[in-house]
Amino acid sequence: MDLAIHTTFLAHTDPEASLAFYRDSLGFEVRNDVGQGQMRWITVGPAGQAGTSIVLHPPAVDPGITDTERQTIAEMMAKGTFATIVLSTPDVDAIFEQVQKTGAEVVQEPIDQPYGVRDCAFRDPAGNQVRINQTR
């Protein structure tokens, strides 16, 4: 079986702020930008890796989601417990310095983890946790 992760979705609450984080702080390229205002789906991804994308989307717009579920999603996003993505780099310390300089919210400075990676973490403007690993 030959499978790869092509696209994942992360919610945004402010499309311009999320776009700035993924484009300007992380250096991702913008591949698609559909909609307007809060109803925007923005596809971003690492330059040179066209096969890997993140779609930033408005949360809880599915008509099958109840108001209670929308409230739960909003509360989880505010706490930073709704979604996480893990990125990788050969030099987590250099990336940490670059991202931190942009004013991104630091969750964790780079540390060596007992499970074999050195990692750091940020929160994007919507509260999603963005972990960055350096495998050893």
Side-chain angles (χ1 to χ4, degrees), residues 28-84:
F28 283 3
E29 61 187 18
V30 178
R31 298 184 179 144
N32 203 359
D33 191 342
V34 178
Q36 59 184 330
Q38 292 295 319
M39 299 303 286
R40 280 174 69 186
W41 284 258
I42 305 166
T43 304
V44 296
Q49 298 178 40
T52 304
S53 297
I54 301 169
V55 177
L56 306 169
H57 66 95
V61 294
D62 185 318
I65 296 176
T66 68
D67 289 342
T68 300
E69 291 167 333
R70 283 187 181 83
Q71 181 63 34
T72 299
I73 290 169
E75 290 170 2
M76 291 179 72
M77 289 179 70
K79 289 174 53 179
T81 58
F82 184 66
T84 298

Side-chain angles (χ1 to χ4, degrees), residues 22 26 28 54 85-89 130-134:
Y22 286 93
L26 295 180
F28 283 3
I54 301 169
I85 190 166
V86 180
L87 308 174
S88 67
T89 180
V130 179
R131 299 197 70 79
I132 303 172
N133 285 355
Q134 176 181 338

